[in-house]
Amino acid sequence: MNILLIEDDREAADYLKRGLVECGHQVTHADNGDDGLQMALQKTYDVLLIDRILPRRDGLSIIGMLRADGNLTPALILSALGEVDDRVKGLKAGGDDYLVKPFAFSELLARLEALVRRSQPRNSLGQYQVADLVLDLNTHLVTRSGKRIRLRPREFHLLEFFMRHKDQVITRTMLLEQIWGYRFDPQTNVIDVHISRLRIKIDKDFSKPLLHTVRGTGYKLSETP
Amino acid sequence: MSLRYTLLYALLLALLYAVLYLSSLRYIDAQLEERLASEIDALVDVYNVSGLDELRMTIENLKSEGMEQGRFYLLAEKDGLPVAGNLTKWPHEANVLIDSQDIQNIWLDDDIMIGDFYINDAYLPAAARKLPDDSRLLVAYGIEQDNLLRELSENLKESFGAAILFMLLLSFTLGKAILRRVETINQTASEIMSGDLSRRIPLSKRHDEFDHLAQRLNEMLDRIEGVLRSMRDVTDNIAHDLKSPITRIRNRMEVLLLQEQRTEEEYREALAQTIKDADFIIKTFNAVLQTAQADAGTMYAEFSLVDLSRLVREVGELFAPSAEDAGLDFRTEHQESVFIKGNCDLLGQAICNLLDNAIKFTPRNGQVSLELVTTSSGADIIIADTGPGIPTHEYERVRQRFVRLDTSGQTTGNGLGLSLVDAIVRQHGASLLFDDNNPGLRAIIRFAEFVSNPANKATSPA
């Protein structure tokens, strides 16, 4: 990914840059809002990583200016806990995702990839397919190796989300946000329990597991672990 | 202090007296002028009715009386030659009075006064007329005005003195009493500042403003003492809670460095453990901050209409598998279309924390339920379990930060869950209640105000 990082905290910027570069991404860094906006206007990036509060120009204002200019590069806003503004404001301003500091680096990486990677396309029949697992959005039928799998509505949504984001790491908070629509810290393994039930249904009777646990981060639906 | 006020009062009083004196002066002047005008008019009438001789006689009569009262009369011929009266000469200024028909002060020299007066030459109010035969008439009033004024100022002086004396006495005694009571407050404040936070201002039995003030101050001190105590508890607890993961990190790293050669797997494992410990530290801090924000009411500015029915249904559905795995009989029941003003994520967090506790503490084969019911007292979200419950006397304490009832270390948690729930609930203007579930605990989040259908505004208790 080609990432533009706009962050005034030098230490945080160094750490983010190093992490992202080591994961194979290109990072351009601006340490204030004005420079950041200029850079975002001059070159095309895959994703913008913008701190909420910046010298010279506020993070939300940068996104607002870009969107007004017709620039739709996905943007992830970083904000410190304790700032009264909540993510609703950030998303209203045109941000695509929002992360509160301090965050796990793996969480950031997963969210950036989700913003950049295009969703898996459906096949001509309106189905998602990963290996021999097929989910049909029209008939709401799920099969693996032709065998019917019965899912509850929520499990169906979970699986649909995983299939749409095939090969991408999905974190627990992303799932709670996307599948349940809530943004809070459940502090427990409620999400994992849902995943393990889904996994039993789609993987248990088959030789090749598809739903993988990514240690310390989340889950991934993929043909290869 | 009280002397300064007395001086201020005296100044004000003096000002008042000055105003009084001046206005009396004007009144006296006006009275004199009126009398003067009517007397001279009466004399002119005497001339008109009875002629010059009669007027002369009248003036001769008035003269003797006038001498005592300090009144001056003069009837003079056209060229100013005196005919009758107690002035020896027609004052030049009096001609102006004839023209103006007005009453004005004119200069009367004592040389021209007949008789022994104790006033000397002075400006005196006077009026003058020209009679039809061109002779002139002058009337001036002297000592009378002076006498009246002297009397007035004497009176004022006496009463002024009395008033000042009275006030000095009053402010002295009153000030003493007030000072004594302020001094008590002052002294208590000093004692508190020198470290004894438990001191309180003694109350008198008078139930006056000072007692009200003292009582308020005492209440404030109670509040501050309470806050300080809980702050100290929180600090102690944070220190205790963070000490173990930090110590763990330190020891793990040290052990790791003891041996020169370790496998990559070992390094990886140690680092992963360290991240886990750091995450716990961050989580603890976040929870503390979040609670503090909720307490201060600064967490999330945006409140909107929240569908409680949907929230309860969804959180119930979220937790159902976990409850089932824990071997519990879990059910969710809710009334439809119950709405409140609030923040969905915060309320979700609150219900989640309560449900998490219920599931964690209830032994296998127990029951846990999540309900939303509306009663006459509002909309209740009830989380009930058949676990060990909370003793009644602990209902208040468990809301505090870092309070953990299970000290055996068998359960995990940082003791912040309930304090966060309490803060969120208070931020929503709702109340968190606990009740015995016989056995177990019933935790109730009660919203006094709710909307049963957001389309119409019909609110709360039926």
Side-chain angles (χ1 to χ4, degrees):
Chain A
M1 284 188 276
N2 196 357
I3 303 166
L4 174 61
L5 167 66
I6 313 177
E7 162 71 90
D8 59 321
D9 179 348
R10 177 172 280 278
E11 226 172 285
D14 283 351
Y15 149 74
L16 285 174
K17 200 169 164 181
R18 236 182 90 184
L20 290 168
V21 167
E22 275 184 20
C23 290
H25 305 295
Q26 293 86 52
V27 180
T28 313
H29 173 226
D31 65 359
N32 69 74
D34 276 348
D35 290 357
L37 178 61
Q38 286 310 315
M39 287 163 146
L41 285 168
Q42 279 160 13
K43 245 187 89 185
T44 309
Y45 295 92
D46 294 323
V47 65
L48 311 174
L49 188 51
I50 305 177
D51 191 35
R52 168 81 177 72
I53 292 172
L54 287 165
R56 304 242 284 273
R57 184 179 290 281
D58 181 63
L60 297 189
S61 149
I62 295 175
I63 296 172
M65 300 280 279
L66 288 175
R67 297 295 181 256
D69 197 46
N71 183 326
L72 295 177
T73 311
L76 192 151
I77 304 164
L78 300 176
S79 130
L81 187 83
E83 282 162 20
V84 182
D85 294 323
D86 63 328
R87 83 199 146 95
V88 179
K89 256 193 194 153
L91 301 186
K92 259 188 206 153
D96 299 276
D97 203 353
Y98 190 93
L99 206 50
V100 174
K101 295 178 192 172
F103 47 79
F105 187 76
S106 49
E107 179 81 37
L108 174 72
L109 207 59
R111 282 171 185 267
L112 284 177
E113 292 208 8
L115 285 181
V116 173
R117 285 235 223 150
R118 300 254 292 283
S119 296
Q120 171 84 356
R122 284 186 258 172
N123 66 19
S124 53
L125 299 166
Q127 299 167 328
Y128 286 120
Q129 185 162 5
V130 175
D132 53 351
L133 179 66
V134 179
L135 180 141
D136 192 317
L137 277 173
N138 300 318
T139 59
H140 276 71
L141 283 181
V142 178
T143 56
R144 184 158 184 197
S145 298
K147 263 168 83 180
R148 171 90 193 270
I149 296 173
R150 284 178 191 283
L151 296 181
R152 290 158 181 262
R154 192 69 68 178
E155 291 165 345
F156 184 86
H157 280 132
L158 261 177
L159 184 59
E160 184 199 335
F161 187 76
F162 274 118
M163 293 188 89
R164 206 148 28 98
H165 296 96
K166 177 190 151 189
D167 297 332
Q168 290 178 34
V169 178
I170 310 291
T171 66
R172 291 168 183 82
T173 50
M174 283 165 80
L175 286 173
L176 186 63
E177 244 174 87
Q178 299 292 331
I179 308 299
W180 279 272
Y182 293 109
R183 180 95 179 199
F184 59 77
D185 178 10
Q187 309 241 8
T188 53
N189 62 350
V190 276
I191 304 288
D192 303 81
V193 178
H194 281 269
I195 300 291
S196 69
R197 300 203 160 200
L198 178 64
R199 179 181 278 150
I200 287 170
K201 288 187 180 174
I202 63 169
D203 278 346
K204 197 185 165 210
D205 299 332
F206 304 91
S207 55
K208 189 176 172 189
L210 293 177
L211 189 50
H212 308 281
T213 301
V214 182
R215 208 176 150 204
T217 309
Y219 301 95
K220 183 168 82 169
L221 186 73
S222 174
E223 288 179 49
T224 50
Chain B
M1 194 63 192
S2 73
L3 184 71
R4 207 185 303 168
Y5 279 113
T6 310
L7 280 175
L8 190 71
Y9 280 134
L11 204 73
L12 280 173
L13 202 66
L15 207 70
L16 186 76
Y17 269 81
V19 169
L20 203 68
Y21 180 79
L22 285 174
S23 65
S24 306
L25 213 60
R26 291 174 77 116
Y27 176 74
I28 289 169
D29 276 353
Q31 286 278 306
L32 273 176
E33 286 180 6
E34 202 177 305
R35 244 192 289 164
L36 191 60
S38 65
E39 186 164 31
I40 199 162
D41 287 344
L43 290 173
V44 172
D45 278 349
V46 169
Y47 172 89
N48 286 338
V49 174
S50 317
L52 186 65
D53 277 348
E54 187 62 33
L55 178 60
R56 194 172 49 81
M57 299 269 285
T58 313
I59 287 177
E60 285 300 324
N61 283 339
L62 283 171
K63 191 174 87 180
S64 53
E65 192 186 330
M67 275 189 210
E68 286 161 28
Q69 297 191 351
R71 294 178 185 178
F72 300 96
Y73 302 92
L74 182 62
L75 180 61
E77 285 176 10
K78 180 168 110 186
D79 52 4
L81 213 67
V83 176
N86 50 3
L87 290 175
T88 56
K89 196 180 154 209
W90 181 262
H92 185 68
E93 278 180 273
N95 292 331
V96 184
L97 292 178
I98 291 176
D99 295 338
S100 69
Q101 292 281 303
D102 203 2
I103 295 164
Q104 275 175 22
N105 285 359
I106 61 165
W107 180 260
L108 287 184
D109 206 295
D110 60 355
D111 287 354
I112 63 165
M113 295 173 185
I114 299 170
D116 186 19
F117 300 110
Y118 52 83
I119 55 164
N120 300 325
D121 23 322
Y123 277 107
L124 298 178
R129 297 283 186 274
K130 195 177 181 182
L131 298 173
D133 68 346
D134 277 354
S135 53
R136 292 128 194 241
L137 179 63
L138 174 74
V139 179
Y141 282 4
I143 330 172
E144 192 169 10
Q145 182 194 26
D146 216 44
N147 281 345
L148 275 171
L149 278 180
R150 186 163 307 146
E151 226 170 279
L152 177 75
S153 63
E154 282 301 317
N155 277 337
L156 285 180
K157 249 184 259 168
E158 268 170 39
S159 66
F160 182 71
I164 291 283
L165 202 72
F166 175 71
M167 230 173 42
L168 273 173
L169 224 71
L170 190 76
S171 64
F172 188 69
T173 48
L174 210 68
K176 256 286 206 290
I178 290 172
L179 272 184
R180 206 169 30 238
R181 307 196 58 184
V182 172
E183 191 43 47
T184 341
I185 297 177
N186 208 354
Q187 197 175 338
T188 315
S190 307
E191 282 167 5
I192 290 169
M193 281 198 302
S194 62
D196 188 359
L197 246 180
S198 65
R199 295 287 313 193
R200 293 295 177 267
I201 302 158
L203 300 182
S204 75
K205 288 180 192 80
R206 271 171 276 192
H207 302 293
D208 55 9
E209 281 80 356
F210 277 99
D211 278 342
H212 289 312
L213 175 68
Q215 207 169 346
R216 286 307 252 181
L217 287 174
N218 283 347
E219 282 166 17
M220 186 182 83
L221 288 168
D222 287 345
R223 189 78 210 278
I224 291 172
E225 203 188 0
V227 169
L228 278 181
R229 196 179 312 122
S230 79
M231 284 247 291
R232 200 160 37 221
D233 288 353
V234 168
T235 324
D236 289 352
N237 284 318
I238 291 181
H240 179 264
D241 266 54
L242 296 185
K243 216 166 80 185
S244 28
I246 291 172
T247 314
R248 265 206 307 276
I249 290 174
R250 206 211 157 274
N251 293 347
R252 190 181 304 120
M253 294 298 155
E254 198 176 13
V255 170
L256 204 63
L257 284 177
L258 278 180
Q259 256 180 43
E260 295 273 315
Q261 289 293 320
R262 287 196 188 273
T263 63
E264 193 192 319
E265 189 54 37
E266 278 176 305
Y267 283 124
R268 286 197 161 277
E269 178 60 31
L271 286 173
Q273 285 297 325
T274 303
I275 288 177
K276 225 183 201 169
D277 281 331
D279 280 349
F280 175 81
I281 297 169
I282 290 169
K283 234 176 197 173
T284 306
F285 268 120
N286 279 354
V288 172
L289 277 175
Q290 220 180 347
T291 315
Q293 282 178 355
D295 274 342
T298 54
M299 179 160 60
Y300 286 91
E302 301 220 10
F303 267 35
S304 55
L305 210 57
V306 175
D307 185 345
L308 274 192
S309 310
R310 194 178 139 198
L311 183 67
V312 164
R313 184 174 62 237
E314 290 185 343
V315 175
E317 189 251 1
L318 181 65
F319 275 82
S322 304
E324 203 178 294
D325 279 9
L328 300 171
D329 171 17
F330 177 72
R331 65 189 171 84
T332 308
E333 275 172 27
H334 63 89
Q335 263 174 261
E336 286 300 339
S337 314
V338 180
F339 295 82
I340 58 118
K341 255 220 158 338
N343 182 289
C344 204
D345 292 331
L346 290 181
L347 290 171
Q349 180 86 66
I351 300 172
C352 163
N353 284 11
L354 290 173
L355 258 187
D356 185 40
N357 273 348
I359 292 171
K360 202 157 61 185
F361 290 110
T362 307
R364 287 192 92 76
N365 299 321
Q367 289 157 16
V368 171
S369 66
L370 169 65
E371 284 174 83
L372 170 66
V373 291
T374 57
T375 66
S376 56
S377 35
D380 288 357
I381 296 174
I382 307 167
I383 293 102
D385 64 56
T386 55
I390 297 175
T392 317
H393 67 272
E394 299 275 32
Y395 282 171
E396 282 313 309
R397 204 171 69 89
V398 290
R399 298 164 199 263
Q400 291 170 16
R401 280 168 239 189
F402 293 105
V403 171
R404 241 172 308 193
L405 290 186
D406 178 15
T407 47
S408 63
Q410 302 227 325
T411 51
T412 55
N414 49 20
L416 288 166
L418 271 186
S419 65
L420 183 57
V421 174
D422 194 48
I424 290 171
V425 166
R426 269 184 289 128
Q427 201 192 354
H428 279 78
S431 34
L432 175 63
L433 312 165
F434 295 112
D435 202 359
D436 199 335
N437 197 36
N438 297 313
L441 178 72
R442 275 167 79 84
I444 303 162
I445 301 175
R446 176 165 293 165
F447 300 89
E449 278 188 18
F450 66 92
V451 186
S452 44
N453 185 351
N456 53 47
K457 278 191 204 136
T459 44
S460 77

